[in-house]
Amino acid sequence: MTTTESRPPADGPSELPGPVVRTTAGAVRGRCAEGLAVFRGIPFAAPPVGEARFQAPRPARPWDGIREAYAFGPPPPQDLGLMGGPGLFDVPQGDDWLTVNVWTPAPDPAARRPVMVWIYGGAYKLGHAGSPGYDARHIAADGDVVVVTFNYRVGMEGFAHIEGAPANRGLLDQVAALQWVRDNIGAFGGDPEQVTVFGESAGAGSVAALLVMDRAAGLFRRAIAQSVPGPFFSAALARDIGTALAAEVGLRPTVADLSSVDPRRLTSAGEALGPKMPRYLDRWGRAAPTVTPFSPVVDGEILPAVPWRALASGAAKDVALLVGHNRHEYRLFAALAGQLGQVTDERAGTALRLFAPGPGGEAAYRAAFPGACASELYERVQTDWLFAMPSLHLAEAHRAGGGSAHVYELTFPAPYDGGALGACHGLDIPLLFGTYGKDLGALLFAGAEPSAEALALSARFRSSWTAFARTGDPGWPAYDEERRLVQVLDAEPVVAPYPEEAARRLWEGYEFAPLPLL
C-alpha cells in the first residue's frame, strides 16, 4: 500500500504534519497539535470481510512508503437506534474497521511512558473510537501518558452466535489490538510493560472479560472498569438469540447464510429484534427486557467463565483493578424511554420481582428503601442489577482471588435539566475525557459551559486514572471487606465507606452467572 490521503478531524485543533513512526506493518505519519502527536486510523488487523468475515482477526497487510495517519478509520457496522445518534453519522466509510489511534506527548522510544488503552461501550452493538467524545488529548497531556483507542466489531459482526464462526469475535479484536500495542507502542513513546486497559459500560464488560481470557494474559498490567454490566450470555441463550437474529433477515444463523448479506445491511437484524425482545421473556428471562441481543458469551473456550467466578479463583490476581459505578445509572435509560416520574407501582413491582435477588426480593427492596416511590424503586433495582452490584462484586471477587482493587462511586449530578438525571450512566465519560460538548456530554451538560465544580471533578478523574496507570494507586485506599472504603466522586470528593450499603446487603452472596435459556 502506498501513501494514503486523509484529513484531520474538522472539529479538532489546528494541526501540522507530525513525526513518522515505523510499526511492524509499515511507517505512519501523524499530526501535531497542542503539544501532542496524534496518529489515527492505523490498521491493527486486516479488514474482516470476504473470507475473513465472522472469523478471528487476521494480521494487518503491510504497506510500502509512509501511510498518513491523519483520520480515524471507518467504524464497524452497527445499530444506530437508541443512544446511537451523536458521533455515529458523517463518518468515513469502508471495510478497514480494525484500526487504532494513538495520542502521545512524544514518539520517543526512550520515553517509556505508561500506556492507557480505551475500550468504548455501546451495549456491544454500537460505538467507535473516532467518536468525538473519546478525544483523548486531555488524558494524554494532563497525565503525561500515551493513550490508545481502537475499533472492534460489535453487533452481528462481533457478538452474534453464528454457526461456523468463533464466539466473542469482538473480544478477539480487542486481544489483537492489545497485541499491536505490545509490539508497537514502544516506538510511540509508550512502555509495553506498563499497559492499563480502561473502558465504560460494554467497554467495562470487555475489560472484565479480558481479565479472565487466556489469550489476553500478559497483555496489560492494570485494568479500569467503569460501570460493569452484569449480563453475560450462556452458550444456549446466545444460540437461541442468534437464531432469532438470523430469522429477522430470513436466514439461518450460519456463516454461509449471513455472509451473503452486506455487513451494513445485516445490522437491521439487531435493530429489528431489539424492540421485540420483551416478548421472549419466557425464554430469555432477564436478558429480554434489556433489548440488547448481544453480550459476551461464556463459551468455555474463548471466555471460560463469567469474570466474577474466574477472578474469585485467582485468574488475574497479579493485575491491579480500579472499578466503580455511577449512583443513578439506570435513570438515563428511563429518561430516554420517557419513563421519568411515570412508573406505576405495578410496573415497579414487576421490575422488582424480575431483577431483585432471591424469592423475596421485592419485599426486601421495599423494606430496605421504605421511603422510595415507584420510579425510584424501578430505577434502583435496575441500576443495581445492571451496573452497581456487578461492579462492586467484581472488586470483591478480585479480592477473594488474591488481587487488589480500588472502588469508586460517582455521585455528582449531570447538569441537564437542573440535575434531573442525577449521576446517570455515561456521565463519567465526558468528565474523564473533558469532552463536555460532544456526544453524550452535549446532552448531559446541556450545551452549557461546565461549572467550576465540574471542571475540578474532571481534572480529578484524569489525575486519579493516570496515577493508577502509572503506579497502581489512584489516590485512595484499596477496598477491603472490613472498612469497605471507596472514593465518592462529587463536587467535594471524599473517601467513605461504600455509600450503597442497603443495596450491598441485599445482593450479598448473589452470584452473577451466565444468563440461561429458560
Side-chain angles (χ1 to χ4, degrees), residues 8-15 40 135 137 438:
D11 63 344
S14 177
E15 296 185 349
R40 304 179 178 93
D135 185 334
R137 74 182 77 159
K438 300 174 182 178

Side-chain angles (χ1 to χ4, degrees), residues 449-518:
E449 289 295 318
S451 65
E453 291 82 2
L455 290 172
L457 181 58
S458 182
R460 179 64 173 266
F461 256 99
R462 290 190 291 279
S463 65
S464 296
W465 265 229
T466 55
F468 179 79
R470 190 177 301 279
T471 67
D473 181 359
W476 65 87
Y479 184 86
D480 62 55
E481 288 69 26
E482 295 180 4
R483 298 181 299 168
R484 302 189 188 280
L485 295 180
V486 307
Q487 175 70 71
V488 180
L489 292 165
D490 211 318
E492 295 184 7
V494 297
V495 175
Y498 182 61
E500 314 303 334
E501 178 63 11
R504 187 197 68 78
R505 288 184 176 274
L506 288 171
W507 289 83
E508 196 166 24
Y510 179 85
E511 181 180 358
F512 284 92
L515 297 181
L517 177 65
L518 303 181

Side-chain angles (χ1 to χ4, degrees), residues 44 73-76 97-100 120 127-130 149-153 173:
F44 68 84
W97 313 323
L98 303 183
T99 59
V100 300
Y120 54 75
H128 69 105
T149 68
F150 63 88
N151 287 341
Y152 63 94
R153 283 173 285 182
D173 292 345

Side-chain angles (χ1 to χ4, degrees), residues 216-290:
L219 293 176
F220 54 93
R221 185 173 179 179
R222 302 182 179 103
I224 304 174
Q226 304 169 210
S227 303
V228 180
F232 278 64
F233 290 171
S234 66
L237 177 62
R239 188 178 302 109
D240 204 58
I241 293 177
T243 299
L245 284 164
E248 290 293 339
V249 290
L251 297 171
R252 299 172 300 166
T254 66
V255 168
D257 274 24
L258 296 177
S259 292
S260 66
V261 183
D262 182 273
R264 291 170 186 80
R265 289 188 54 239
L266 191 57
T267 59
S268 64
E271 292 168 350
L273 181 63
K276 301 176 184 177
M277 287 182 66
R279 304 177 194 174
Y280 292 81
L281 187 63
D282 60 339
R283 290 181 61 81
W284 299 344
R286 288 173 163 182
T290 68

